[in-house]
Amino acid sequence: MQKNLMTGLLLAVLFSSPASADVRELASSPRWLTTRVYIDGAPETDVKAKYPDVVGISTWDPERNRYEFFYADTGESKYSKGGGGYFFVTGDQKQHVLVPDIGPTKTIVRQLETMNSVEFTYSREVPRDMMENNSLVRIHVVHAPYTGTIETKSAINNKARSR
């Protein structure tokens, strides 16, 4: 049943009209860098070091509804660890849903906080300090357009070229 639901959602996204103007803000920068992570209610305290799985460089292609994540220090793709696939934004522009191509996680639903040409911020609930048995906390993940020198090497594009 869940597989049929996900297939239906993906088909609806893929065959729907082009992405809205708000979603196109993701395309205003070819790459985005995580600049800050904070726990709900404590925006002054950056906790990026405790949440390394959500930190890095990301690319978004609203025309194809594709995303890919990269390590910020090396530019290496996180694709093989579930860091690439399809995404969509709900019609009310409140949720950003990721559907990884591979990996143990099937979908990740994130609450959109800010999405414009200078900032992309989402929040979601995760175990505190990303430790499986800890209580859930809501983290806010802030991104800005990446202007650094690290090159990102897409595993998605390489995979497509090798076919």
Side-chain angles (χ1 to χ4, degrees):
M1 169 95 173
Q2 184 175 1
K3 183 177 178 182
N4 290 337
L5 175 63
M6 287 311 305
T7 301
L9 283 172
L10 279 175
L11 289 173
V13 169
L14 292 174
F15 295 110
S16 65
S17 60
S20 72
D22 291 337
V23 174
R24 291 181 194 274
E25 293 293 350
L26 286 172
S28 64
S29 172
R31 298 181 299 168
W32 292 83
L33 176 67
T34 308
T35 57
R36 191 162 60 102
V37 177
Y38 64 92
I39 294 177
D40 204 29
E44 67 285 347
T45 305
D46 188 353
V47 293
K48 278 191 312 202
K50 294 184 178 188
Y51 297 89
D53 289 347
V54 302
V55 175
I57 299 169
S58 59
T59 59
W60 302 93
D61 181 351
E63 295 298 321
R64 294 177 40 229
N65 292 70
R66 299 288 293 170
Y67 72 92
E68 188 170 1
F69 301 144
F70 304 87
Y71 293 99
D73 56 347
T74 64
E76 178 187 346
S77 176
K78 295 182 179 183
Y79 183 79
S80 66
K81 296 179 174 90
Y86 289 93
F87 78 94
F88 63 94
V89 174
T90 57
D92 62 5
Q93 303 289 304
K94 292 183 179 182
Q95 294 182 322
H96 185 242
V97 181
L98 305 181
V99 184
D101 287 339
I102 59 176
T105 304
K106 300 301 176 207
T107 59
I108 299 169
V109 179
R110 309 178 327 171
Q111 184 73 33
L112 280 175
E113 305 290 336
T114 304
M115 188 165 46
N116 58 48
S117 62
V118 296
E119 181 183 327
F120 167 49
T121 299
Y122 70 85
S123 66
R124 70 182 253 218
E125 286 190 339
V126 298
R128 181 175 294 279
D129 301 332
M130 298 300 271
M131 303 288 285
E132 189 174 322
N133 294 322
N134 285 355
S135 61
L136 295 178
V137 295
R138 178 164 291 278
I139 59 171
H140 297 257
V141 183
V142 183
H143 301 81
Y146 180 64
T147 57
T149 59
I150 293 184
E151 291 187 35
T152 51
K153 300 164 193 78
S154 175
I156 293 174
N157 290 339
N158 292 340
K159 184 177 177 184
R161 280 189 219 127
S162 66
R163 288 184 185 170

